[in-house]
Amino acid sequence: CVPFTSSIPLWSFSFNNCFVAFILVSFAQIIHGQIRYSIPEEMRKGSFVGNVAEDLGMNTKRMKSGGARIVSGDSSEYIRLDVDKGTLVVGERIDREQLCGQTSPCSLSFEMIMMNPMQLLSIVVEILDVNDNAPFFTDKDIKIEISESTLPGTRILQESATDPDVGINTLQGYTLHPTDHFSIKIQTGPDGSKYVEMYLYTPLDREKRDNLLLTLTAVDGGDPQRSGALKIHITVLDANDNGPVFMHPIFKASVTENAATGTVVTTVSATDADEGPYGHVTYHFARVPPDFAELFSLDENTGKITVTGQIDYEKNKQYELGLQAKDQGGQMDSTKVIIDVIDVNDNVPLITLTSFSSPISEDSISGTTVAIINVKDIDSGKNGRVECSINTKIPFAIQSSLKSYYTLVTDGVLDRERNTEYSITFTAVDEGTPPLSASKAITLRISDVNDNAPVFEQSSYSATVMENNVPGVSVFSVKAHDSDWGQNARMSYVLIDSQFNGNPISSYISVNAETGAIQAVRSFDYEQTKSFEIYIKAQDGGSPPLSSNVTVKIMIQDQNDNAPQVLYPVQTSSSLVAEMVPRSADVGYLVTKVVAVDVDSGQNAWLSYKLQKATDRALFEVGLQNGEIRTIRQVTDKDVVKQRLTVVVEDNGQPSRSATVNVNVAVADSFPEVLSEFTDFTHDKDYNDNLTFYLVLALAVVSFLFITCLVVIISVKIYRWRQSRVLYHSNLPVIPYYPPRYADTLGTGTLQHVYNYEVCRTTDSRKSDCKFARPCSQNVLVMDPSSTGTVQRMQSEKNILGEPDSPLEVSFLEDTLALIHTCYR
């Protein structure tokens, strides 16, 4: 404990036209978490009480930021907190007598609360008495009749004055003037109050003086001293030598509070040994405060005390009544009646919400203070003992802190997603019979914390998009939900960077950050890309943000955007491929097979083959599904050698696409016959082109004869060297399809394994002495319409074979050079 003092400003009072100045001191003590101050009553409004901030060892900024304030009840009008200066000041003029009556010490109790962190402090301000009240008697004048026969020493009067002040300022003594026949004795009652008894000092003589006027003065011990006077008019009567006597010096009784009007509290009685009028006793109140007199009545003749007002235990727990018994001869006796009030449980507990923090965060730890309440029951004993509780099945608990204060704290895990708010009901029940209770409900809101990550509606997604789409077309939309609230649930979608085919995935797909809509950035080609996966992140707007990922598989749907491609037979612009059918071929003889592919998929790649045109439709047919060209009847001698078939290859798409291939068939049993027929067949078509070619060639040969000879010689050498290399390292491509009977050893195929031909042609007829020799392994006859004799395979074969300098092409070029060289010689 650290006692300290702080000065209080000068104040003054004026009594009986006298101005007296006092310099007072306010004392403060901090005892067990409680600060005590002492101030005199009657201070002006705004007068300094105490420096709370200094006494607590804190600065005013802390009090201001903590929102310091006085929180409890009845004292708030008298004492006010100046937060800016950290001091307590007088809020209203304080009258100690009005506030506390005769209770001493007189004090004001209240609590001060501060937030951040929450702190509760009890403050007691003791109100010191000032001598601002003079003693006074209930009556200003009294009349007493005394028999002249009254013996000296007889008690004539018992009287007391009332001084609302306490301590040294209250009633201290009495004086009597004159004192010729009477004297006084000052007595002290059980409660410490002082009263005066007046005795006859010398005998009275009515014949000398039948009326006396005495002045009884009551004085206090204040500075300056104050006093009150009582005028006593004494009438001297004839002799009455016996006075009334009470049966008990003190009467005790009890009454329950809220007793009905007319309830008999007790009955007092006194006896007088005289007879006649001198023996008739009447009862009167003496030394009774005015407010007590309003609650009780006394029957003058019977001495019965009854209830006439509203008795409240919470205002007064005990009443002390002074009584007098008088006879008709002027003698009297006095007593007192002490009435104890029995408490009744007539006050319900009062619940005051002192502090309340709402909303609170859902991640608040267990034990976090939510609210502070004050519970009071102004009854006493068991009737004033209160138990406070809250409704069950909620994650909160109530704890007792200071006297009559309870703290509501969290007691469990809070989850805003399950409960956004709680209705908490405080119930206070006293221990009276029957018990009384009070309730107070508050609604506590839970603020959101970003503790839930976004969740997609599905664990993975798949979407389809048609190839050849327009860039920017919407493909799909993903959706994620976040059970948080507000900004913590605001969703944004992000495409996670990745690579596909060496390119960033963002060059294929984009995602709308707000809606999650997936859009194609480019046009897709099913033949290049059939499917790919993207990863999308959903991120909320919390701090820090939470996110989750999902996989979306994008599948490209095929369109029939590719026509079939014929792989065999190979179509060229300058050469002619012919299939040979012997005249002895049977029905169903496999002539050749059209081989085609379609890079589309599904039904877009289902191919069917149809014979569109034919030299003789009655001789050949095409397999609808396999493209095999077979004879449908026996070949006869009447059938022409040159047969030309046009086959249409069509896919099953919508709409369908097709390709056309021409197949030349030679119906002959010998190769010369075929050669003769197909030479004429191609000659007319390409004659003009060949003539132009040879004119240019002749001009070049004449102009550069020497150079040409060297080139030819070198070419021949190179040819011989490369020929050996080609034969050694030959890796000729195989035509995708060979009819199975071409290599028949029984001679039923188109050609025998080994054939040698020598053809001599004159220059005039575009023939020369060139030899034509082909390897015996060649099953397909290729005829060249030019005058050089041997047919070349065209550069277009590179598209089918897939090699720019394939061995087959090199072989054809070498043969051509050799033939040119021979012809030139």
Side-chain angles (χ1 to χ4, degrees):
C1 300
V2 182
F4 63 92
T5 62
S6 58
S7 61
I8 304 179
L10 180 66
W11 63 283
S12 61
F13 291 93
S14 175
F15 300 105
N16 299 326
N17 299 323
C18 294
F19 177 83
V20 183
F22 295 87
I23 299 178
L24 302 176
V25 179
S26 173
F27 299 89
Q29 281 188 310
I30 303 177
I31 302 176
H32 302 299
Q34 185 182 78
I35 296 181
R36 298 185 63 88
Y37 294 96
S38 297
I39 63 171
E41 65 174 327
E42 303 294 343
M43 292 181 68
R44 291 194 304 270
K45 182 177 180 180
S47 298
F48 177 85
V49 175
N51 194 326
V52 179
E54 181 179 311
D55 297 341
L56 291 177
M58 64 176 65
N59 55 39
T60 57
K61 292 183 179 179
R62 165 68 182 93
M63 294 187 66
K64 193 169 184 180
S65 63
R69 67 184 190 278
I70 294 175
V71 296
S72 63
D74 299 332
S75 303
S76 59
E77 63 178 304
Y78 297 110
I79 302 298
R80 182 171 56 83
L81 175 64
D82 189 343
V83 180
D84 294 331
K85 297 180 180 179
T87 60
L88 293 176
V89 297
V90 175
E92 294 291 339
R93 188 184 68 83
I94 302 175
D95 187 350
R96 192 204 65 80
E97 289 72 27
Q98 181 181 358
L99 185 65
C100 298
Q102 292 296 310
T103 302
S104 180
C106 177
S107 61
L108 297 174
S109 298
F110 53 91
E111 284 74 36
M112 185 180 76
I113 190 169
M114 288 187 293
M115 310 294 289
N116 301 322
M118 189 175 292
Q119 183 177 0
L120 191 65
L121 182 67
S122 179
I123 300 175
V124 176
V125 178
E126 183 179 0
I127 310 302
L128 302 178
D129 185 56
V130 174
N131 191 23
D132 58 339
N133 291 282
F136 66 94
F137 294 90
T138 305
D139 299 315
K140 299 296 183 181
D141 299 272
I142 61 172
K143 295 179 179 181
I144 300 176
E145 296 178 342
I146 302 176
S147 174
E148 62 179 353
S149 62
T150 302
L151 298 176
T154 301
R155 185 173 60 184
I156 303 302
L157 175 67
Q158 183 180 4
E159 189 64 58
S160 66
T162 301
D163 191 340
D165 295 325
V166 295
I168 193 65
N169 296 324
T170 191
L171 179 68
Q172 297 297 319
Y174 300 86
T175 59
L176 180 66
H177 181 78
T179 58
D180 297 341
H181 297 281
F182 299 92
S183 64
I184 60 174
K185 292 183 179 179
I186 300 174
Q187 306 289 347
T188 302
D191 58 348
S193 63
K194 296 181 182 298
Y195 62 93
V196 64
E197 293 180 344
M198 187 174 70
Y199 294 86
L200 181 63
Y201 181 67
T202 60
L204 299 175
D205 187 356
R206 188 188 66 83
E207 285 69 24
K208 289 183 179 180
R209 193 174 183 179
D210 59 350
N211 288 293
L212 300 174
L213 177 60
L214 305 179
T215 302
L216 181 64
T217 304
V219 294
D220 61 22
D223 186 15
Q225 189 179 60
R226 292 176 176 272
S227 63
L230 172 65
K231 299 296 184 180
I232 304 174
H233 300 273
I234 298 177
T235 302
V236 181
L237 302 177
D238 288 339
N240 178 23
D241 53 356
N242 291 290
V245 177
F246 278 103
M247 297 180 63
H248 303 287
I250 297 176
F251 290 86
K252 290 187 177 181
S254 62
V255 64
T256 59
E257 67 171 323
N258 302 324
T261 301
T263 301
V264 177
V265 178
T266 187
T267 301
V268 296
S269 63
T271 60
D272 193 324
D274 293 327
E275 292 183 355
Y278 295 120
H280 180 69
V281 179
T282 58
Y283 303 94
H284 309 275
F285 280 127
R287 298 181 289 107
V288 176
D291 54 339
F292 287 12
E294 295 176 356
L295 301 177
F296 302 97
S297 66
L298 175 63
D299 191 302
E300 183 178 341
N301 297 311
T302 62
K304 185 181 294 183
I305 301 174
T306 58
V307 176
T308 58
Q310 185 69 29
I311 298 176
D312 190 351
Y313 175 85
E314 285 69 43
K315 290 183 178 179
N316 285 288
K317 299 176 177 58
Q318 188 181 76
Y319 295 92
E320 184 176 319
L321 306 177
L323 298 182
Q324 289 180 345
K326 298 180 180 180
D327 61 15
Q328 299 301 312
Q331 297 192 45
M332 50 87 62
D333 192 12
S334 63
T335 188
K336 66 174 61 178
V337 178
I338 298 175
I339 302 174
D340 293 320
V341 181
I342 301 174
D343 184 42
V344 174
N345 190 27
D346 59 341
N347 293 281
V348 298
L350 177 64
I351 301 175
T352 304
L353 185 63
T354 303
S355 178
F356 181 39
S357 299
S358 178
I360 65 170
S361 176
E362 64 175 319
D363 63 348
S364 298
I365 62 174
S366 183
T368 300
T369 300
V370 177
I372 296 177
I373 62 169
N374 175 254
V375 181
K376 290 183 178 179
D377 192 325
I378 59 177
D379 292 323
S380 64
K382 292 177 59 178
N383 297 332
R385 290 198 292 266
V386 179
E387 289 293 330
C388 191
S389 63
I390 59 173
N391 46 318
T392 59
K393 297 182 180 180
I394 57 174
F396 298 94
I398 189 169
Q399 301 174 350
S400 177
S401 53
L402 295 175
K403 180 182 177 182
S404 73
Y405 280 88
Y406 293 87
T407 303
L408 178 68
V409 297
T410 57
D411 186 27
V413 178
L414 304 179
D415 189 352
R416 191 206 64 83
E417 287 67 46
R418 288 188 298 176
N419 295 94
T420 59
E421 63 181 25
Y422 290 91
S423 179
I424 303 172
T425 301
F426 298 96
T427 302
V429 182
D430 61 26
E431 297 181 7
T433 304
L436 299 178
S437 63
S439 298
K440 186 177 185 64
I442 61 173
T443 299
L444 176 63
R445 293 184 293 110
I446 309 300
S447 63
D448 186 49
V449 171
N450 191 27
D451 56 349
N452 292 277
V455 177
F456 283 95
E457 294 177 343
Q458 299 180 21
S459 59
S460 62
Y461 295 89
S462 62
T464 59
V465 59
M466 191 70 69
E467 68 169 329
N468 303 318
N469 58 284
V470 177
V473 68
S474 178
V475 176
F476 194 65
S477 181
V478 295
K479 190 71 175 178
H481 299 281
D482 195 318
S483 53
D484 290 322
W485 182 81
Q487 184 67 22
N488 294 331
R490 185 176 181 180
M491 206 68 58
S492 61
Y493 302 90
V494 180
L495 179 64
I496 298 178
D497 290 337
S498 60
Q499 296 286 323
F500 180 72
N501 288 341
N503 298 318
I505 199 67
S506 57
S507 63
Y508 293 86
I509 285 293
S510 67
V511 177
N512 188 295
E514 296 292 334
T515 64
I518 301 173
Q519 293 178 323
V521 175
R522 62 169 64 178
S523 178
F524 296 110
D525 187 355
Y526 175 82
E527 287 69 43
Q528 294 181 357
T529 305
K530 291 180 173 55
S531 67
F532 59 91
E533 289 185 348
I534 62 174
Y535 305 96
I536 297 177
K537 177 172 71 175
Q539 180 173 288
D540 60 29
S543 179
L546 300 179
S547 63
S548 61
N549 300 340
V550 72
T551 302
V552 181
K553 185 175 183 180
I554 307 295
M555 295 176 290
I556 312 302
Q557 284 188 337
D558 183 47
Q559 274 189 333
N560 191 27
D561 58 342
N562 292 280
Q565 296 180 2
V566 178
L567 301 180
Y568 185 84
V570 179
Q571 301 292 295
T572 64
S573 61
S574 60
S575 63
L576 182 65
V577 179
E579 307 289 345
M580 291 187 64
V581 177
R583 294 186 181 275
S584 59
D586 296 331
V587 176
Y589 176 83
L590 179 61
V591 178
T592 187
K593 181 176 183 179
V594 177
V595 179
V597 295
D598 195 323
V599 294
D600 293 324
S601 64
Q603 67 177 8
N604 294 331
W606 296 348
L607 302 180
S608 60
Y609 302 84
K610 297 178 183 179
L611 185 61
Q612 185 181 40
K613 292 189 297 184
T615 304
D616 187 353
R617 280 185 172 273
L619 182 57
F620 302 100
E621 67 175 358
V622 178
L624 180 63
Q625 303 299 329
N626 55 24
E628 294 179 347
I629 301 177
R630 295 180 181 270
T631 59
I632 58 177
R633 63 175 175 81
Q634 185 71 39
V635 179
T636 65
D637 295 337
K638 295 181 180 180
D639 292 326
V640 297
V641 175
K642 297 182 293 184
Q643 296 284 340
R644 186 179 181 89
L645 308 178
T646 302
V647 179
V648 176
V649 184
E650 188 176 48
D651 60 27
N652 197 37
Q654 293 295 331
S656 62
R657 293 176 177 268
S658 62
T660 303
V661 60
N662 294 320
V663 180
N664 297 308
V665 180
V667 181
D669 291 326
S670 61
F671 187 79
E673 181 181 359
V674 174
L675 184 61
S676 175
E677 291 293 337
F678 277 88
T679 300
D680 295 339
F681 180 76
T682 59
H683 173 71
D684 294 338
K685 177 180 177 182
D686 299 326
Y687 177 77
N688 292 330
D689 293 337
N690 291 335
L691 179 59
T692 303
F693 172 76
Y694 283 112
L695 288 175
V696 175
L697 181 62
L699 181 60
V701 171
V702 172
S703 302
F704 305 97
L705 180 60
F706 179 73
I707 297 173
T708 304
C709 291
L710 290 177
V711 171
V712 171
I713 293 171
I714 294 171
S715 299
V716 171
K717 294 297 183 180
I718 293 173
Y719 165 75
R720 289 176 181 176
W721 177 76
R722 292 188 64 182
Q723 184 66 26
S724 61
R725 298 293 295 175
V726 169
L727 293 176
Y728 181 75
H729 298 288
S730 177
N731 189 19
L732 295 176
V734 180
I735 297 177
Y737 175 77
Y738 293 99
R741 298 182 62 186
Y742 278 12
D744 193 349
T745 57
L746 297 179
T748 60
T750 304
L751 298 174
Q752 294 296 328
H753 285 261
V754 179
Y755 286 94
N756 293 314
Y757 296 96
E758 292 186 359
V759 181
C760 295
R761 309 171 74 181
T762 64
T763 306
D764 175 55
S765 60
R766 294 178 299 278
K767 295 181 181 180
S768 66
D769 293 334
C770 298
K771 289 185 178 181
F772 175 81
R774 299 301 296 163
C776 61
S777 62
Q778 182 68 37
N779 293 328
V780 181
L781 178 62
V782 181
M783 300 301 294
D784 191 346
S786 67
S787 61
T788 57
T790 303
V791 179
Q792 302 179 25
R793 292 192 181 269
M794 302 305 294
Q795 292 293 331
S796 61
E797 290 182 347
K798 293 188 289 182
N799 296 330
I800 299 175
L801 297 176
E803 298 180 10
D805 295 321
S806 64
L808 181 58
E809 180 185 359
V810 173
S811 176
F812 288 159
L813 291 173
E814 291 173 348
D815 289 347
T816 302
L817 290 172
L819 288 174
I820 293 172
H821 176 68
T822 304
C823 292
Y824 180 77
R825 290 196 316 179

